[in-house]
Amino acid sequence: AGAETVKRAVELDLASRFQESLVCYQEGIDLLLQVVKATKDEAKKHRYRQKISELLFFSDGKYHKQIRIEENATGFSYEKLFQEYLTEIVSEVWVEDPYIRHVHQASRYSLYNFLRFCEMLVKGPCKVKTIHLLTSWDEGSGRSQQISGLEEIQQSLKNYGVTLDIAYSSSIHDREIRFNNGWMIKIGRGLDYFKKPQGRFSIGYCDFDLRPCHETTVDVFHTKHTKKM
């Protein structure tokens, strides 16, 4: 499986399909790492490590893609935005967003949006085991609702074998989402780039692909594979 994945990565690389190529290189490296861990023969381990080093060399180019979401644009649900980066090897996710709150004038639906993001992770194809959330406290009377809401999401995720680790910071400003396969996504507005629906029974209330968006920028990066061999 590892050899076929690497072969596919090379073909995509030659076709200048660099984003897909990086994903395949990443998966090939992870498959070889699993083989190294399971192999007791030191000579074979050495050969596998050499091959991993070669793959790291080919996949080391830094990748940056920018997506511009225009005002009132549709078709940018979480599935459309994140799905191609959620490969089967993704097991851990980091979310940093200061406005995951229950009631906030500019981010009224942020807790529900975070819940929808978690639902997407649970549906796969990745096998996420841990989600790390770093956010800030709600100021004022909304704090208790924020805490109870996040704890309810945390308890619900447990039913699907997913641990939600929640931490709070008073100094967090950046908004970014990271996956343990090396992909990092920065959204100018965080997860709250959807507009308020016109009504509870209006098109786009349930299907976020049909929900108009606020204008924002999405930056996608890929970082070098850093797992120990």
Side-chain angles (χ1 to χ4, degrees):
E4 287 299 317
T5 303
V6 172
K7 181 181 177 182
R8 177 63 175 158
V10 174
E11 290 173 351
L12 291 168
D13 209 347
L14 292 172
S16 297
R17 294 166 64 180
F18 301 118
Q19 180 176 319
E20 296 167 84
S21 174
L22 275 172
V23 172
C24 284
Y25 276 127
Q26 182 76 57
E27 291 180 350
I29 290 167
D30 276 286
L31 288 168
L32 285 172
L33 283 169
Q34 292 174 25
V35 173
V36 169
K37 290 177 182 178
T39 302
K40 295 181 179 179
D41 188 315
E42 289 300 322
K44 286 184 178 180
K45 277 192 174 185
H46 178 70
R47 289 200 297 273
Y48 287 134
R49 286 188 177 119
Q50 282 186 318
K51 177 55 70 176
I52 290 171
S53 295
E54 292 173 10
L55 291 176
L56 286 171
F57 174 79
F58 284 113
S59 64
D60 195 27
K62 290 188 176 180
Y63 175 89
H64 177 212
K65 172 184 178 181
Q66 187 173 84
I67 302 166
R68 185 78 177 177
I69 299 178
E70 302 292 342
E71 185 76 8
N72 291 317
T74 57
F76 290 96
S77 66
Y78 295 146
E79 285 80 6
K80 289 285 179 65
L81 205 58
F82 296 105
Q83 204 70 55
E84 62 183 303
Y85 310 108
L86 291 171
T87 57
E88 292 184 1
I89 63 173
V90 174
S91 60
E92 200 165 5
V93 178
W94 290 263
V95 178
E96 294 185 11
D97 191 323
Y99 297 114
I100 304 298
R101 304 175 180 180
H102 186 72
V103 178
H104 188 274
Q105 189 173 12
S107 306
R108 190 175 176 185
Y109 297 92
S110 56
L111 259 183
Y112 290 111
N113 287 343
F114 179 67
L115 175 59
R116 289 186 68 92
F117 178 76
C118 291
E119 288 175 337
M120 176 193 66
L121 295 176
V122 168
K123 285 167 66 178
C126 54
K127 302 294 185 289
V128 171
K129 296 299 180 186
T130 308
I131 302 171
H132 303 275
L133 171 64
L134 179 63
T135 189
S136 61
W137 293 108
D138 199 319
E139 299 170 0
S141 59
R143 181 173 297 191
S144 61
Q145 293 176 315
Q146 177 191 25
I147 294 172
S148 62
L150 285 174
E151 287 179 347
E152 189 173 341
I153 294 173
Q154 187 179 50
Q155 190 59 45
S156 183
L157 283 168
K158 280 184 180 179
N159 298 329
Y160 292 87
V162 180
T163 298
L164 174 60
D165 175 45
I166 306 168
Y168 297 92
S169 170
S170 59
S171 59
I172 178 177
H173 296 291
D174 291 340
R175 298 174 174 92
E176 66 179 43
I177 296 168
R178 302 191 308 276
F179 306 132
N180 67 323
N181 61 352
W183 291 103
M184 177 171 67
I185 295 93
K186 293 190 174 188
I187 308 174
R189 299 183 64 97
L191 291 172
D192 283 325
Y193 57 88
F194 296 106
K195 287 195 168 184
K196 178 183 176 181
Q198 293 181 346
R200 289 190 301 165
F201 300 99
S202 60
I203 295 297
Y205 186 89
C206 299
D207 189 339
F208 274 35
D209 267 324
L210 299 172
R211 178 78 69 87
C213 298
H214 291 286
E215 181 179 349
T216 192
T217 301
V218 181
D219 287 284
V220 182
F221 303 90
H222 187 276
T223 55
K224 182 180 177 181
H225 194 285
T226 55
K227 286 187 179 180
K228 292 181 180 179
M229 292 185 285

